[in-house]
Amino acid sequence: MNLFADIRALVTSSLDTLVSEGALPEGLDFANVAVEPPRDPLHGDMATNAAMVLAKPAKSNPRAIADALAAKLGADPRIESVDVAGPGFINLRLAPSLWSGLVEGILATPAYGTSDKGAGTKVNVEFVSANPTGPMHVGHTRGAVFGDALAALLDYAGYDVTREYYINDGGAQVDVLARSAYLRYLEAWGKEVEFPDGTYPGDYLVPVGEALKAKYGDSLVDKPEEDWLAEIRVFATDAMMDMIRGDLKALGVEMDHFYSEKSLYDTGLIEAAIGELKDKGLIYRGTLEPPKGQMPEDWEPREQTLFRSTAHGDDVDRPIQKSDGAWTYFAPDIAYHYDKVKRGYDEIIDIFGADHGGYVKRMKAAVSALSEGKVACDIKLVQLVKLFKNGEPLKMSKRSGTFVTLRDVVEQVGADVTRFVMLTRKNDAPLDFDFAKVLEQSKDNPVFYVQYAHARVRSVLRKAAEQGITLTDTPSLTDPAELAVAKKLADWPRQVEIAAKSHEPHRIAFYLYDLASDFHALWNKGNDNESLRFLQDDAAASAAKIALPRAVAVVISSGLGILGVTPAEEMR
């Protein structure tokens, strides 16, 4: 059930009629015809741009198209009135019965708002992918929440979604982890140790050192690095991944698949991916232009093996192999995405930290080249989070040694608050997270405001049950405040589809806040007007009044479900 889609279908069928009657030329594309809420609610319930977007291809005056279309639309019983405004915008006011029918439909369809727009499209959403060298920090937290909510949103909109974590366990940083864990191992044996610059001094490796002691005894003490590096690297990486999985679970995130970077090496996958690009004529030996701006002192022109990424939208071609024959960091990334393409995904979404902006064009170029443009690739950058407490910057965690961890945040405010707040800004906008403000019980705190709306509905339902009121799906909608809530509910499926198409789960958080605002306004109006209260003296009247808030709870619960937040039954 999607009221906006129904009215858009009415608009396009009316346009088809105008074409069949010769009032419009054949072959017009209606793809950009939209039906949306008007900017000013006083202008009507819905508005369409049909006349404006079709005027040029139809070689006609937009006002003339609007007048002809308005006549067709006005003949439909669902349309109470039609108004042509300005050069050709059409404002529609719907029959009052539609709003009652909408509420009834929501209550009869708990899955209201789900969509088949995705049509089973296979999407791989790769997110977090933190180096397995320690606990997750607050930056990872935002990426984890964004990725998980995006995956849930796409699933809700009919896509076939895989949540994937890429374990960066093939680079030099895992050797550093192994050396740091070895120092904790020595420490567990009572040795005095110092952590050189570049190692990981956080307390989180203390239990890893103890576990190494329990497993190996003193057999590795004072042994040369070549005797223990490889083994401790695997041991420490596994321990860190166990920690990361626990961090994700604390945040309510469950991955479908963990993919090891190590699995790309010595298996022929990198060579196969580069070979495929070579077969397409996209690998060559060449010399790159000097970098723009200030010239690095150590730069010198040298011949390299390059990927012709400019053929697929990049600014410059990219090196994939060093002069000594070793692969660059980009080569395994190409192979990883080659594997995604081979696994049959129709769309790939990568969620990176803001410091990975330079990877966007090269990765899109690689996916385009490997799939011959058949697999869409979207890369979302997640900006930094600044932590505050009572307006003051929050100091780093002792446990991590360098940063505030995900666990620090969740333990202080809870997973639900953490997740919602992380989605109150678009992913590419910086976010301020104040531990005091996110727990405030005020309208200025969107988490509280949305949860309070759901809790209010649940309170009404508990009282109705105590009074023995038999609920009905038939609502009583007469006041403008009641209709405002119903109209906001009507916009839910449209917002889901917009958010899913644009890969912007923050839109769901924004919508829920707006819905909660309209609901609280109705509640407050009932404080002064007894006829608007949900619980009336007459049981039948109460049942009819309660239908609308029940529908609100259905939508809030669904929206919070997408965000990974548990709806509140009551506020404490």
Side-chain angles (χ1 to χ4, degrees), residues 65-86:
I65 296 175
D67 288 338
L69 178 57
K72 299 294 184 186
L73 296 174
D76 190 280
R78 291 170 290 179
I79 306 300
E80 184 176 62
S81 64
V82 185
D83 176 53
V84 178

Side-chain angles (χ1 to χ4, degrees), residues 497-517:
E497 292 182 357
I498 292 172
K501 183 178 180 180
S502 60
H503 300 162
E504 293 180 336
H506 73 276
R507 289 177 176 270
I508 303 301
F510 288 10
Y511 168 85
L512 292 177
Y513 181 82
D514 289 343
L515 174 60
S517 296

Side-chain angles (χ1 to χ4, degrees), residues 219-235:
S219 65
L220 303 180
V221 174
D222 297 330
K223 295 292 184 179
E225 183 176 286
E226 58 266 25
D227 286 359
W228 52 258
L229 183 66
E231 220 168 333
I232 290 185
R233 182 170 54 207
V234 172
F235 187 96

